[in-house]
Amino acid sequence: MAATLHVCITCRAGQTIVEGEPTPGARLRDAILEVGVPPDVNLVPIECLSACSQGCSVALSAPGRWSYVYGRLSEANAKDVVAGAAAYAAAPDGLVPWRARPDIFRKQSLARIPPINLLPEAAE
């Protein structure tokens, strides 16, 4: 099952952006595409992750797995974001062992969200 890597492309990372110039978030997305998105990861650009005070941010999610939001990122982190996304996609429950995570995913996690479990039919 594929994982989804959401990248906030409107993130300004606290910078003043001249009209027509790409935002830091869009540059992060472009750098990730340049590095190469793993085949089991879908890259989805989005307009806001509501982590505006935390620099560029990304989120990883997949059905039935823990989800994560990471911040304080830049285009310089693209290789680590791709490596972290690949490790996440390979983890059946979304829980990548701490030591197997790229350093930025160890130190720059903003949130870990539990999977949504559907209620059994009997509870309906």
Side-chain angles (χ1 to χ4, degrees), residues 30-104:
D30 293 345
I32 290 169
L33 288 170
E34 189 173 310
V35 169
V37 180
D40 51 352
V41 175
N42 297 314
L43 177 67
V44 178
I46 59 168
E47 291 195 3
C48 188
L49 282 171
S50 289
C52 303
S53 66
Q54 297 296 322
C56 294
S57 57
V58 302
L60 283 166
S61 61
R65 298 183 193 184
W66 284 81
S67 297
Y68 292 86
V69 180
Y70 298 99
R72 300 180 301 279
L73 302 171
S74 74
E75 59 195 283
N77 302 121
K79 287 183 184 179
D80 286 337
V81 171
V82 168
Y88 176 84
D93 55 5
L95 297 172
V96 177
W98 192 81
R99 293 188 187 276
R101 298 176 195 170
D103 197 43
I104 61 167

